[in-house]
Amino acid sequence: QVQLQESGPGLVKPSQTLSLTCTVSGGSISSGSYYWSWIRQPAGKGLEWIGRMYASGSTNYNPSLESRVTISLDTSKNQFSLKLSSVTAADTAVYFCAREVGRGSNFWNYWGQGTLVTVSS
Amino acid sequence: ENVLAQSPGTLSLSPGERATLSCRASQSVSSSFLAWYQQKPGQAPRLLIYGASSRATGIPDRFSGSGSGTDFTLTISRLEPEDFAVYYCQQYGTFPLTFGGGTKVEIK
């Protein structure tokens, strides 16, 4: 059974870079044919897809965040990461990592529990 | 961007009643690439429906999805106590992948 777990600082200062890692267990991120995604949810609000990455290095980002986002894979650690630069209070949210159901399916049945990141000085 | 509008914002119903949730897209959703999720407080979303009408693994048959083009519906035939939650639709036909704003199903 695939499991995902987010980790990273819970507090980031404005204008700095938010960095999160998703550790995957129960399956290899490099051997499977899946895209690995980040999705976020401000408190009391809806979900926003941030972007996705395939083991080959192929990425897709939400245009609303594309200029500030980088998603990368570390296959040696079976992890993938999110970096979001120049953060503001509007980036305060619960951040989820997720794996899609099947290659290119673009909907998700494996999710991490989510991690709250607060942007504040 | 394909914007999804969910209605109503809140649905107040009693256990055993039928729930009908709507998701309307600003552009036609190609190949009915629409999914529904259930989310409870403090939890990640749970996939219920994909392809507009296919139930995900382990999802009870009281959950059903229908629709095509720009109008989609999630129906819960008889509400169980564990079904009171927030429901989101998501389209995956075009990038960026987008979600609706959610419908909260609360106990009346």
Side-chain angles (χ1 to χ4, degrees), chain A residues 37-42 45-51 62-66 68-69 82 84 90-96 108 111, chain B residues 1 45 88 90 96-100:
Chain A
S37 283
W38 287 96
I39 295 155
R40 70 180 183 178
Q41 184 173 37
K45 296 188 179 180
L47 298 153
E48 180 180 32
W49 175 73
I50 298 170
N62 192 320
S64 68
L65 298 167
E66 186 165 15
R68 300 192 290 130
V69 171
L82 169 71
L84 182 65
D91 296 310
T92 294
V94 173
Y95 285 76
F96 296 98
W108 308 276
W111 295 71
Chain B
E1 176 172 322
Y88 294 95
Q90 178 234 333
L97 309 176
T98 52
F99 293 87

Side-chain angles (χ1 to χ4, degrees), chain A residues 3-7 20-24 29 35-39 51-53 70-75 77-83 96-99 110 112:
Chain A
Q3 293 184 314
L4 297 88
Q5 177 69 58
E6 305 89 350
S7 59
L20 295 175
T21 296
C22 182
T23 300
V24 179
I29 64 171
Y35 281 88
W36 303 88
S37 283
W38 287 96
I39 295 155
R52 68 173 193 170
M53 186 168 194
T70 302
I71 296 175
S72 60
L73 300 185
D74 186 339
T75 55
K77 295 181 180 178
N78 220 36
Q79 296 175 334
F80 63 107
S81 298
L82 169 71
K83 291 189 185 300
F96 296 98
C97 57
R99 197 207 82 179
Y110 293 108

Side-chain angles (χ1 to χ4, degrees), chain A residues 41 45 105-108 112, chain B residues 37 39 44 50 88 90 92 99:
Chain A
Q41 184 173 37
K45 296 188 179 180
S105 66
N106 291 319
F107 55 93
W108 308 276
Chain B
Y37 299 84
Q39 188 179 34
Y50 63 93
Y88 294 95
Q90 178 234 333
Y92 52 97
F99 293 87

